[in-house]
Structures are given as C-alpha cells and as structure tokens.
Amino acid sequence: MFNAILVEKDNEAYSARIAALSDSQLPPGEVLVRVAYSTLNYKDGLAITGKGPVVRSFPMVPGIDFAGTVEASTHPGFAAGDPVVLNGWGVGEQHWGGLAQKARVQGDWLIPLPDGLSLKQTMAVGTAGYTAMLSILALERHGLKPEHGDVLVTGANGGVGSFAIALLAALGYRVVASTGRPQEADYLKRLGAADIIDRSTLAEPGRPLQKERWAAAIDSVGSHTLANVCAGIRADGAVAACGLAQGMDLPTTVAPFILRGVSLLGINSVMRPVAQRKEAWRRLAKDLDTRHLDEMTREIGLADAISAAIDLLKGAVRGRLVVDVNR
C-alpha cells in the first residue's frame, strides 16, 4: 500500500483526500517509480480544488511532475534503481500523477536524472523552472542577446517568474520584474531583478501600441497583461507566453505584430520531445545558481498539499512548493 492524494467527483460533489492505495490500482504503464518528491504547481492547485477543468477523468491522482527511483521496468531505457524525472505528458490530468508515493507511467515520458542535480533539486526546479528554461531557449532561438535590452518577467513571484528572473540574470540580462506584491521586492532583487514594476500597470486594458520598453518578455499571466506586454515590446522583439494566471483571453490587436514585428512565442511544456526536455534540463543544471533554490522553495509533506493548493490559488505562495511525498 502507498499514500496518494486522490481527487474524486460524485455527481457535482468534488473532493480531494489522502488515500491508501495498492499497486494494483495504478494505471497501466511500463515503469513503476518509487516517488521521492513532487511539487505543487498552479495546475495542481486547480486539480485539487476543482477550480478549473484540469482533471479529465476520475478518480485522479494529481501532480504534473515527480522525481524518484525506478522500482520495476519493462521499458528498454530504464532499469530498477535508475533515478528519473517526469514533467507533463498529461500526468496528473489524464493519467495518475506524482502527488503519491508511487507512480506507473510510460517509459518514453521519463528522462534520466540530469547530471549535477539531486532528486529534490529537480523538483525544486520542477515544471516551473523547466518552463522558464523552455521560454529562454525560445527567446534565444529568436536571436535575443543581453545587449538588446531589458527583459520583462511577469508573475515574478510565482514559480515560473522566480526561475525566469534567476536564469536570465545569470545569463547576463537586465531583468524587469512585474509583481502584485511589492513587499517582495528584496526577494526578487536577490534573484537578480534590476527593476520592479507593479502588475497593476499592466493588468488593465491599455492602448494597442505603447512606448517601446523591453527587448523581450516572459509572460505567465495572459489576458490584459500579455496584451500590454506585447504593446510595449521593442521592434523585432519577442514574448514567450507560457501561462494564464490572469486569464485565457488575449484582448489585443495585430498592431504590435505588423507595425513592430513583435513575435509571440507559445511555450507548451506538456508535450515536448525528449530531446528538447533533455536540453532544457541540461541548461538548467548548467545555468541555474542552485544556491537560489533554498530561498525560492519551501518543502511540505503530502498531507499539507491539499491546504497549500488553496493558498497557491489565492496568490499567497512565493516561489515553489516541493512536496516530500513520504511525509
């Protein structure tokens, strides 16, 4: 038997609880993993609370990422004892996920533990840091260099935002952080932000074309914020869009794209090919100053994750929550 968060829906009654499950209840898969750590992401918060239509079938074990050790495998790429990491692939939404002491998944969804990172460190980074790195890689492919100018990061106090700031600063960029919590300015500056702006300056409807302020941006907010970000990007700059904390809508015009040549780069962290995943994790191990991880993360136990999900959706969580599923 093992413990897991189990999300259930009976007619209109939605619930999440800690349940004792058996290996036989796990879904089919080639690799059985003894999970060491998972995380609590925004999507996990929606899944646990039912505040968004994240879960596609019931019952469901949430948790869109995990790190652990292979217990049994029929996949040629993995053997018992191998340390592994998983992000995305619909885990925690369509397939039982990582907020559990065990998970059974397809082998092609896993990658080996990146050199230079521990199991706990990979989940301190988690899908948030992985998404931030995918965003940076997309901007680099677009041609972005530090000498081009400031890079804006929205949702700066969240997981993606915190990692984006730390990574960009380490790579030599001047970073502007947008946050709704100005009291956290010192934290953001310790991560590497050179300037702080209040998110309220971006969150309301604005002009379709505004003063050119930033060479590029990483946006995890969407809606009016993303529209205003696009309107303030310099000519031939780019925005990596990777989240929807404010909303799924994008109330903008074509003006930034056809008058300034701004590029909007969509970041899908869920269904990336293995080669791209390995490259993102290789760069994370190389570029991230792991000394930031202690300040950017807080460890909780599996039993704490349900209440923490509520705080997460309220915007009351700074940085990352690492879940030790064995306590």
Side-chain angles (χ1 to χ4, degrees):
M1 303 295 290
F2 64 93
N3 292 327
I5 293 179
L6 193 67
V7 173
E8 298 172 294
K9 187 176 183 181
D10 182 12
N11 295 322
E12 296 304 312
Y14 195 101
S15 65
R17 62 185 175 90
I18 302 293
L21 304 174
S22 67
D23 289 9
S24 64
Q25 291 175 271
L26 287 166
E30 299 162 309
V31 184
L32 177 64
V33 178
R34 170 68 69 172
V35 178
Y37 296 97
S38 185
T39 67
L40 202 63
N41 298 281
Y42 189 80
K43 191 178 286 187
D44 300 321
L46 295 174
I48 290 171
T49 62
K51 298 296 185 183
V54 169
V55 177
R56 309 296 177 84
S57 63
F58 297 89
M60 177 60 60
V61 174
I64 64 173
D65 48 17
F66 64 76
T69 304
V70 173
E71 194 168 281
S73 174
T74 60
H75 188 279
F78 298 98
D82 288 347
V84 293
V85 177
L86 183 144
N87 301 94
W89 296 113
V91 169
E93 304 172 70
Q94 304 174 60
H95 188 97
W96 283 16
L99 287 169
Q101 293 174 315
K102 288 190 178 185
R104 185 184 285 134
V105 297
Q106 299 303 317
D108 289 344
W109 299 348
L110 298 166
I111 64 168
L113 179 71
D115 290 341
L117 295 175
S118 67
L119 291 174
K120 183 176 178 179
Q121 285 175 324
T122 61
M123 286 300 99
V125 174
T127 294
Y130 163 71
T131 301
M133 181 52 78
L134 288 175
S135 300
I136 291 170
L137 290 171
L139 292 173
E140 288 179 346
R141 289 194 297 271
H142 185 76
L144 182 67
K145 292 181 172 56
E147 57 266 28
H148 292 164
D150 292 359
V151 179
L152 174 69
V153 175
T154 66
N157 280 105
V160 174
S162 294
F163 277 100
I165 291 167
L167 289 163
L168 287 165
L171 291 167
Y173 291 91
R174 187 179 188 278
V175 183
V176 178
S178 167
T179 180
R181 286 180 270 172
Q183 68 273 19
E184 299 284 8
D186 287 344
Y187 161 73
L188 297 174
K189 288 180 178 179
R190 287 195 297 273
L191 293 181
D195 197 9
I196 312 292
I197 63 173
D198 195 301
R199 72 180 179 195
S200 63
T201 63
L202 299 171
E204 300 298 327
R207 299 192 312 270
L209 209 59
Q210 302 171 24
K211 179 182 176 181
E212 297 180 56
R213 301 171 65 184
W214 311 290
I218 295 176
D219 175 69
S220 60
V221 179
S223 192
H224 291 291
T225 296
L226 178 54
N228 285 315
V229 170
C230 290
I233 296 292
R234 295 177 183 173
D236 298 320
V239 180
C242 59
L244 45 67
Q246 186 179 10
M248 288 185 66
D249 60 318
L250 182 55
T252 188
T253 72
V254 298
F257 313 114
I258 65 172
L259 297 180
R260 287 188 183 157
V262 172
S263 295
L264 184 57
L265 312 174
I267 307 301
N268 170 16
S269 65
V270 177
M271 306 300 285
R272 296 268 52 80
V274 169
Q276 291 184 22
R277 293 171 180 272
K278 288 182 176 179
E279 173 61 11
W281 279 103
R282 185 192 69 80
R283 284 287 302 274
L284 282 161
K286 172 179 175 287
D287 296 335
L288 180 65
D289 184 345
T290 55
R291 292 175 297 180
H292 286 309
L293 291 179
D294 286 342
E295 184 168 24
M296 293 167 66
T297 60
R298 176 164 62 92
E299 184 179 313
I300 62 175
L302 186 65
D304 306 315
I306 294 175
S307 60
I310 299 171
D311 293 335
L312 182 66
L313 295 190
K314 289 179 179 177
V317 173
R318 183 180 81 180
R320 303 274 298 134
L321 290 173
V322 176
V323 182
D324 181 345
V325 300
N326 295 301
R327 71 171 179 88

